[in-house]
């Protein structure tokens, strides 16, 4: 009974839980023809296409949803995250969309509160995240936190992670903080009051628009200084988000007007990864055994934009090569096949695409890089954790110059490695560089032997110096605040 939509909405819920998307998506398209202004159908079309990494389709339906209901709020953080993957949007347009969301959540602020900033022995820093677990954010936090001077800082964790999802890395992080607060079950009003009473001086948001964010809390200001860092590499448009931490490679000094936050410029890199342990031995260049060149990317599939597929397909179609992919977020055959078909549409042969299974064990995950000759970075949203991991396994990453923070992450990483020859100026240059590297086997063979050591001795893993530079910036900001 196509006039009764309740069973369809129930099917949507079940499909999302069961991770079965394609058949339900087909039914949603049919229902949309009969109900072109039904918000639930449009929202589901946007959501399913987002999960399947059909970014242009997801964008179309999110835009339609907000045209029909400009005050629709629940889906906007996902939409804004999507814009980072969308190749046809400028930073100015992204910021405009962010402000539309912010205008809604800032209508009813609860700012009637004053902070106690009287003299104290330590600066009380809070870190707010839903990802204090085995997650990229934690991979960068662990050693950094241990290198902060506990005589100068009191470290507080506000964990918006369901305690049932805590894992071994959660336990490790708990030992690092002076105070740990599980706040997953607090509603916004109670949480605002709770954090304000903790009298935190500087609260650092590690979520941005990502899943598990609590931006209402930051919109209402729960600390005198609020900073965005690490978990989201773009502006969020909140009037009460005072600063964002970047580096001099990712944001240019004359571009600060493209971000609503004041930029804290770190001199070399905007984050440093914790020192690796239990790393697999690096194999010789796999081409030497296979006699077929292997490109690879282990980024989440949303990052593999239509333009990325177009350029990668051109590379594959003009070389004796294959491409190994692995979704860093989810393991799902429907999503995998959906991506394969996009390459097939670009005349790539079936045997040229291999998609690996998701691996929870980090050692097994890293071992997959031993089958890769050259990693290809995604654009406009670059890899970060995957790039750090790739170079640790001796596999350099070809990246493309970007136009904003998240599209320049690869550029910053390669500059810190002194691998400027792996930074492409344009789509054509990206293709030509890939072809040139494909032909230069001896160069890749020798680079593979030295890349891990040069990476570990670079700013990318120098947690001690990174923490020192970070501390100086934070102390200066707090001193300026106290001085008024």
């Amino acid at each position: 009974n196509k006039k009764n939509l309740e069973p369809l909405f129930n099917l949507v819920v079940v499909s999302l839980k069961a991770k079965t998307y394609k058949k339900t998506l087909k039914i949603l398209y049919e229902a949309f023809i009969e109900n072109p202004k039904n918000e639930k159908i449009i929202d589901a079309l946007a959501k399913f296409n987002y999960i399947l990494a059909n970014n242009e389709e997801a964008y179309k339906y999110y835009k339609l949803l907000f045209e029909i209901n400009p005050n629709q709020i629940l889906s906007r953080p996902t939409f804004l995250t999507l814009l980072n993957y969308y190749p046809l949007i400028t930073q100015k347009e992204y910021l405009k969309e962010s402000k539309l969301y912010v205008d809604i959540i800032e209508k009813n602020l609860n700012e009637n509160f004053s902070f106690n900033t009287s003299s104290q022995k330590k600066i009380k820093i809070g870190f707010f995240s839903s990802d204090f677990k085995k997650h990229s954010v934690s991979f960068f936090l662990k050693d950094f936190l241990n290198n902060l001077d506990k005589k100068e800082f009191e470290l507080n964790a506000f964990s918006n992670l369901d305690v049932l999802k805590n894992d071994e890395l959660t336990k490790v992080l708990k030992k690092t903080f002076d105070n740990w607060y599980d706040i997953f079950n607090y509603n916004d009003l109670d949480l605002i009051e709770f954090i304000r009473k903790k009298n935190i001086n500087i609260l650092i948001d590690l979520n941005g628009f990502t899943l598990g964010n609590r931006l209402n809390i930051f919109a209402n200001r729960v600390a005198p200084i609020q900073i965005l860092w690490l978990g989201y590499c773009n502006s969020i448009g909140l009037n009460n988000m005072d600063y964002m931490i970047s580096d001099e490679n990712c944001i240019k000094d004359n571009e600060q007007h493209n971000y609503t936050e004041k930029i804290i410029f770190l001199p070399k890199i905007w984050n440093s990864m914790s020192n690796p342990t239990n790393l697999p031995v690096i194999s010789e260049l796999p081409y030497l055994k296979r006699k077929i060149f292997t490109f690879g990317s282990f980024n989440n599939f949303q990052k593999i934009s239509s333009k990325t597929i177009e350029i990668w397909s051109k590379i594959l179609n003009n070389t004796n090569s294959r491409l190994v992919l692995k979704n860093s977020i989810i393991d799902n055959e429907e999503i995998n096949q959906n991506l394969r078909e996009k390459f097939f549409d670009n005349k790539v042969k079936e045997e040229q695409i291999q998609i690996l299974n998701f691996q929870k064990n980090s050692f097994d995950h890293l071992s997959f890089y031993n089958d890769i000759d050259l990693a290809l970075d995604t654009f406009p949203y670059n890899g970060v954790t995957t790039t750090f991991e790739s170079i640790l396994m001796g596999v350099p990453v070809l990246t493309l110059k970007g136009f904003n923070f998240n599209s320049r992450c690869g550029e910053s990483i390669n500059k810190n490695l002194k691998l400027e020859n792996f930074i492409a100026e344009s789509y054509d240059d990206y293709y030509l560089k890939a072809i040139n590297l494909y032909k230069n086997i001896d160069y890749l063979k020798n680079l593979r032997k030295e890349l891990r050591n040069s990476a570990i001795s670079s700013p990318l893993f120098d947690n001690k110096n990174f923490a020192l530079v970070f501390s100086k910036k934070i102390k200066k900001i707090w001193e300026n605040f106290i001085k008024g």
Side-chain angles (χ1 to χ4, degrees):
N1 182 357
K2 293 184 179 180
K3 292 182 179 179
N4 182 1
L5 294 177
E6 282 307 309
L8 174 59
F9 301 143
N10 291 336
L11 176 62
V12 167
V13 173
V14 172
S15 296
L16 289 171
K17 288 186 177 181
K19 297 181 173 61
T20 55
Y21 310 110
K22 294 282 241 181
K23 288 183 179 179
T24 303
L25 185 60
K26 183 176 182 292
I27 298 169
L28 282 166
Y29 278 123
E30 293 170 355
F32 174 70
I33 294 171
E34 300 296 325
N35 305 272
K37 292 190 177 181
N38 186 289
E39 287 183 41
K40 284 189 175 181
I41 292 174
I42 297 168
D43 185 50
L45 282 168
K47 190 173 294 181
F48 275 61
N49 276 297
Y50 175 79
I51 293 169
L52 288 165
N54 299 331
N55 294 340
E56 283 87 349
E57 279 286 286
Y59 175 85
K60 180 175 73 175
Y61 286 106
Y62 276 126
K63 288 289 284 184
L64 178 59
L65 178 66
F66 303 140
E67 284 175 17
I68 293 171
N69 182 3
N71 292 316
Q72 210 280 0
I73 192 169
L74 294 178
S75 297
R76 284 190 183 267
T78 304
F79 170 65
L80 292 166
T81 302
L82 165 70
L83 295 184
N84 293 295
Y85 308 129
Y86 192 58
L88 302 176
I89 197 164
T90 65
Q91 180 66 9
K92 184 178 179 181
E93 291 169 320
Y94 164 84
L95 202 60
K96 181 181 176 182
E97 293 288 353
S98 299
K99 293 300 291 182
L100 290 174
Y101 172 61
V102 166
D103 287 346
I104 297 172
I105 67 174
E106 289 184 342
K107 282 181 180 177
N108 300 300
L109 296 184
N110 175 24
E111 292 188 281
N112 187 23
F113 187 84
S114 59
F115 297 98
N116 178 12
T117 57
S118 58
S119 60
Q120 56 195 35
K121 291 182 179 180
K122 298 181 181 181
I123 300 175
K124 299 176 70 173
I125 303 180
F127 293 85
F128 192 105
S129 179
S130 62
D131 298 314
F132 291 134
K133 58 179 179 178
K134 189 177 179 182
H135 184 277
S136 294
V137 165
S138 297
F139 300 158
F140 288 91
L141 272 184
K142 183 170 67 72
D143 286 1
F144 157 74
L145 291 171
N146 283 323
N147 279 289
L148 289 177
D149 190 343
K150 297 295 181 69
K151 295 177 182 177
E152 294 183 314
F153 302 107
E154 177 190 294
L155 305 182
N156 299 269
F158 295 91
S159 177
N160 194 42
L161 176 68
D162 187 339
V163 293
L164 297 175
K165 296 181 180 179
N166 287 357
D167 59 20
E168 291 302 313
L169 192 48
T170 311
K171 294 176 184 177
V172 172
L173 290 172
K174 278 187 176 182
K175 295 176 183 178
T176 305
F177 287 97
D178 297 296
N179 300 296
W180 182 280
Y181 306 106
D182 289 303
I183 49 84
F184 178 76
N185 291 318
Y186 281 76
N187 64 44
D188 283 355
L189 288 176
D190 289 343
L191 184 54
I192 289 167
E193 183 180 2
F194 177 80
I195 298 179
R196 284 175 175 173
K197 285 183 178 179
K198 297 302 175 187
N199 201 32
I200 301 297
N201 302 136
I202 299 172
L203 185 61
I204 300 177
D205 177 33
L206 305 174
N207 268 105
F209 288 129
T210 62
L211 188 65
N213 78 78
R214 300 290 293 271
L215 287 179
N216 276 342
I217 307 306
F218 289 88
N220 282 277
R221 188 172 291 283
V222 290
I225 295 174
Q226 300 187 151
I227 299 175
L228 178 67
W229 179 51
L230 188 60
Y232 191 79
C233 298
N234 208 338
S235 179
I236 56 172
L238 278 184
N239 289 310
N240 278 336
M241 190 63 75
D242 306 301
Y243 296 93
M244 178 169 66
I245 296 174
S246 182
D247 66 34
E248 295 168 356
N249 299 313
C250 289
I251 299 176
K252 311 303 179 185
D253 189 48
N254 63 354
E255 295 173 346
Q256 294 194 56
H257 63 280
N258 288 326
Y259 305 83
T260 56
E261 305 83 359
K262 294 178 183 176
I263 310 300
I264 301 171
F265 286 104
L266 299 185
K268 293 179 180 178
I269 193 77
W270 81 99
N271 59 7
S272 65
M273 184 177 263
S274 300
N275 288 310
T277 57
N278 191 31
L279 288 173
V281 174
I282 296 173
S283 71
E284 68 174 0
L285 196 72
Y287 174 82
L288 299 175
K289 285 185 177 180
R290 280 185 173 272
K291 299 306 177 185
I292 180 171
F293 197 91
T294 303
F295 296 101
S297 173
F298 295 171
N299 286 297
N300 80 66
F301 288 174
Q302 266 102 2
K303 288 187 177 182
I304 305 177
S305 65
S306 56
K307 195 65 183 178
T308 301
I309 292 171
E310 178 188 327
I311 304 300
W312 287 2
S313 297
K314 185 179 178 183
I315 294 167
L316 291 167
N317 289 332
N318 288 280
T319 55
N320 176 29
S321 65
R322 65 192 193 112
L323 175 64
V324 176
L325 304 169
K326 186 164 82 70
N327 198 329
S328 61
I329 292 181
I330 189 172
D331 193 10
N332 180 278
E333 183 51 34
E334 286 194 19
I335 296 174
N336 294 349
Q337 185 58 26
N338 191 61
L339 181 60
R340 286 190 195 99
E341 289 170 1
K342 293 176 184 179
F343 282 98
F344 301 158
D345 289 342
N346 280 269
K347 298 182 172 55
V348 174
K349 297 173 184 174
E350 187 172 350
E351 62 268 23
Q352 286 182 283
I353 303 294
Q354 180 184 4
I355 300 181
L356 302 172
N357 293 328
F358 184 82
Q359 294 290 324
K360 289 185 178 180
N361 182 288
S362 60
F363 186 91
D364 293 339
H365 162 70
L366 291 173
S367 295
F368 281 137
Y369 283 101
N370 276 330
D371 205 25
I372 308 296
D373 293 301
L374 174 66
L376 298 176
D377 203 359
T378 49
F379 44 85
Y381 201 149
N382 298 161
V384 177
T385 306
T386 51
T387 300
F388 275 78
E389 291 174 341
S390 185
I391 60 175
L392 271 179
M393 291 303 299
V395 183
V397 182
L398 176 63
T399 194
L400 175 69
K401 276 192 174 183
F403 60 93
N404 66 355
F405 190 167
N406 58 41
S407 65
R408 290 187 182 132
C409 293
E411 181 181 348
S412 184
I413 293 167
N414 277 346
K415 281 184 174 179
N416 276 277
L417 289 168
K418 296 182 172 56
L419 289 177
E420 282 86 352
N421 56 322
F422 284 83
I423 303 171
E425 297 285 337
S426 63
Y427 295 135
D428 287 343
D429 189 40
Y430 187 101
Y431 167 75
L432 291 172
K433 275 184 163 57
I435 298 298
N436 183 54
L437 290 164
Y438 159 80
K439 295 176 179 178
N440 205 337
I441 296 301
D442 286 341
Y443 172 64
L444 290 178
K445 180 181 72 174
N446 294 328
L447 180 59
R448 192 180 188 92
K449 295 175 183 177
E450 62 189 44
L451 189 53
R452 175 183 288 178
N453 288 336
S454 61
I456 291 174
S457 61
S458 78
L460 303 184
F461 292 90
D462 189 353
N463 292 280
K464 188 174 182 179
N465 186 64
F466 181 84
L468 182 64
V469 173
F470 186 99
S471 299
K472 288 179 179 178
K473 294 283 187 180
I474 292 296
K475 286 190 289 185
K476 186 66 176 177
I477 287 168
W478 183 243
E479 287 170 7
N480 290 341
F481 177 83
I482 294 298
K483 290 176 184 177

